[in-house]
Amino acid sequence: MKRCLPIILVFTFVFSCSKKDSFEKDRDSKQDRSITFDQAMSMIKSGTNAATSNVALSTTPNTKSTTINFQSFQGYDACTTSEKTVNGITFKSTQGFSKLNVNNLNPQTYYYLSLSTLHAYSESLPGSYGSGMAIKYPFKQGSIYKIKTTLGGTDYEWGQTKDIRRFPTLQARLTNNPTIMSICANSGPINLTGSSEPTQIFPAIAKGSTKAVELLFTADKCYDYLWLSALPNTSGKSNSTAELWNNIVIEEQNQFAVVGPESLTVNQVATYSVEAFSLPINSNFTWSVSGDFQIVGSNVGPSVAIKTTGLGGGEISISLNGCNKIVSKVYTSPIVNEVRLEGPSFLYELGNFSTFQIVKTGSSVNRVISQVTWTPPPGCFIQVTSNTTADIRAGQPSQSDYLIVSFLMDGVPITLKKPITIQILSPNPGDPGTTT
């Protein structure tokens, strides 16, 4: 046994050295293939996913999907010189006839964004009106966007024959100018083609028809708005609208990634860098952090050292050339999943009080909860009975909504939400919140 021991030690040492050499060679080889941010942008815009033809790269992007429901904008008319925010979505309408309506057809109610060209090239009503809607959204440089909606068409040329009716085309553009057209002015429709800003045109469709629309954009820089407008057909009467039905879905594919550890411990210092197509980006980014993170040393460069200062999680992001948050990496607090809000999911109007409780699990059972704030659904009454429990009773009338409780757990801010449905008084004793 004593004779075998040196051999085992030598084998272990050789294996460890071989593994270390292999890691360093892989790291050095990857660094040799580094590219600049501008080179990465050229690859993205050209659709190339490799710096050389003999390099196999991963092309899995970070994805995000946002749905903008037109129901939120119901009743909003144009001729407004300021932006308006509804349900977290900011928008600005120009040129007089852009609004949302409710229509009872087929026979259900649906919501649509109406982009009108009313009176454009009309013989009886001279003037050239177009309309548009600017929807605020952070389009990030280097990301690819697929914008989905349903396009319909309506004409207002009653009594006119079909051969002289002309439906408008849908125009879409990424822009930093929310007021492409004059506000409610008789200035004529604007053709968005021929601009350096990313623009897509979707052909007109006939009245009574609908068609799924997918518009593809590559953000060559950062943009703040998606502009939508209707372009009249000048070859004949164009007294009509382009309609977008129900919602718009914006699918984002970020081609860049912040690379660093997937899990962290308190006081750990880790190095972060940026990649595209699995290639390191050798450009001087400006790094920023939020939450329980602290930058160690310079915040400018291809990479950065960041210290984890607590369990609250946070965000690490990069900026370049004035474009903020090109890409970010978000860490969720590990203790967020170790606490929940327990209690009934529905209450009856004028029923008894029901108990709701903050419950700690796992490694968090001994953590300290403080600064608790309870927010019941509208019309409900609340009695806070301890640091982690509250009794809630539905008044009349009450509104179905979320029960929200915010607090600190070992100094980490946490917010829990529980949907509560309010129902009429139950005749069955023993139901949650019923009188006895």
Side-chain angles (χ1 to χ4, degrees):
M1 176 62 72
K2 292 182 179 180
R3 293 180 181 177
C4 295
L5 183 59
I7 298 176
I8 295 174
L9 290 175
V10 170
F11 175 79
T12 304
F13 175 76
V14 171
F15 176 78
S16 299
C17 289
S18 174
K19 184 176 181 180
K20 180 180 179 181
D21 291 343
S22 175
F23 173 80
E24 291 179 347
K25 286 179 181 179
D26 179 69
R27 181 189 62 190
D28 293 341
S29 173
K30 194 172 186 180
Q31 192 62 39
D32 290 342
R33 294 185 286 140
S34 66
I35 57 176
T36 66
F37 183 82
D38 289 340
Q39 288 174 321
M41 283 299 304
S42 296
M43 293 165 61
I44 292 169
K45 287 187 286 187
S46 65
T48 305
N49 61 5
T52 58
S53 58
N54 60 348
V55 178
L57 302 175
S58 171
T59 58
T60 303
N62 301 318
T63 59
K64 175 184 175 182
S65 181
T66 301
T67 300
I68 299 173
N69 291 304
F70 294 152
Q71 183 174 356
S72 302
F73 304 151
Q74 180 186 358
Y76 176 64
D77 208 335
C79 297
T80 301
T81 57
S82 61
E83 293 180 343
K84 183 176 181 180
T85 300
V86 180
N87 291 348
I89 302 298
T90 300
F91 56 98
K92 186 171 187 176
S93 183
T94 64
Q95 202 67 0
F97 287 95
S98 179
K99 61 181 180 180
L100 288 165
N101 302 287
V102 181
N103 205 329
N104 295 309
L105 296 177
N106 299 327
Q108 63 185 4
T109 297
Y110 67 97
Y111 298 87
Y112 66 92
L113 175 63
S114 176
L115 299 171
S116 174
T117 60
L118 193 62
H119 307 330
Y121 305 99
S122 170
E123 294 175 356
S124 59
L125 295 171
S128 300
Y129 289 98
S131 63
M133 177 74 80
I135 299 175
K136 197 166 189 177
Y137 185 91
F139 293 95
K140 302 172 184 176
Q141 184 177 14
S143 290
I144 296 174
Y145 295 89
K146 183 182 291 184
I147 298 173
K148 299 180 178 180
T149 188
T150 300
L151 177 63
T154 300
D155 71 82
Y156 295 100
E157 297 172 318
W158 295 283
Q160 302 291 345
T161 58
K162 292 183 178 180
D163 60 334
I164 65 171
R165 293 177 182 172
R166 300 292 186 271
F167 291 91
T169 58
L170 171 67
Q171 300 182 118
R173 172 187 284 183
L174 306 187
T175 183
N176 288 315
N177 176 17
T179 313
I180 294 178
M181 302 178 187
S182 301
I183 300 291
C184 299
N186 186 14
S187 58
I190 304 297
N191 190 331
L192 297 185
T193 59
S195 169
S196 60
E197 294 181 318
T199 303
Q200 293 286 329
I201 305 294
F202 199 88
I205 62 173
K207 177 182 179 180
S209 302
T210 59
K211 187 174 181 63
V213 175
E214 289 190 0
L215 305 173
L216 190 65
F217 293 96
T218 298
D220 57 333
K221 61 181 181 180
C222 283
Y223 294 97
D224 293 329
Y225 294 90
L226 168 65
W227 178 266
L228 300 167
S229 63
L231 179 65
N233 187 322
T234 60
S235 62
K237 293 180 182 293
S238 188
N239 201 15
S240 54
T241 65
E243 296 176 355
L244 306 183
W245 287 19
N246 295 322
N247 59 46
I248 290 177
V249 178
I250 301 177
E251 294 182 354
E252 175 183 320
Q253 295 183 344
N254 198 317
Q255 305 300 303
F256 294 96
V258 173
V259 180
E262 293 303 317
S263 60
L264 300 167
T265 57
V266 177
N267 296 323
Q268 177 182 350
V269 178
T271 299
Y272 294 83
S273 58
V274 182
E275 291 185 357
F277 308 113
S278 297
L279 294 174
I281 307 299
N282 187 21
S283 294
N284 287 326
F285 299 103
T286 298
W287 295 80
S288 60
V289 297
S290 64
D292 285 347
F293 289 120
Q294 177 183 334
I295 294 177
V296 180
S298 175
N299 70 328
V300 178
S303 61
V304 68
I306 296 177
K307 180 180 180 179
T308 304
T309 59
L311 292 173
E315 183 179 26
I316 300 169
S317 58
I318 61 166
S319 304
L320 186 68
N321 300 327
C323 188
N324 297 323
K325 287 192 177 181
I326 294 173
V327 67
S328 59
K329 188 176 183 71
V330 177
Y331 287 90
T332 302
S333 171
I335 67 177
V336 169
N337 296 325
E338 295 183 339
V339 61
R340 64 179 182 269
L341 182 57
E342 290 188 349
S345 59
F346 61 93
L347 298 172
Y348 290 100
E349 288 186 345
L350 302 179
N352 285 338
F353 281 94
S354 293
T355 299
F356 294 83
Q357 182 177 11
I358 302 171
V359 178
K360 298 178 289 184
T361 62
S363 65
S364 294
V365 291
N366 295 319
R367 300 189 191 276
V368 177
I369 290 179
S370 61
Q371 299 183 30
V372 183
T373 300
W374 295 83
T375 304
C380 291
F381 304 98
I382 186 168
Q383 296 177 345
V384 178
T385 55
S386 75
N387 197 38
T388 58
T389 60
D391 293 336
I392 297 177
R393 176 176 182 264
Q396 190 180 45
S398 294
Q399 180 179 331
S400 297
D401 206 335
Y402 285 96
L403 167 63
I404 302 174
V405 56
S406 301
F407 54 92
L408 299 180
M409 188 158 71
D410 277 5
V412 176
I414 295 176
T415 298
L416 301 177
K417 296 183 178 182
K418 184 177 181 64
I420 304 296
T421 301
I422 306 298
Q423 300 181 2
I424 61 174
L425 183 62
S426 172
N428 302 315
D431 284 346
T434 57
T435 54
T436 56

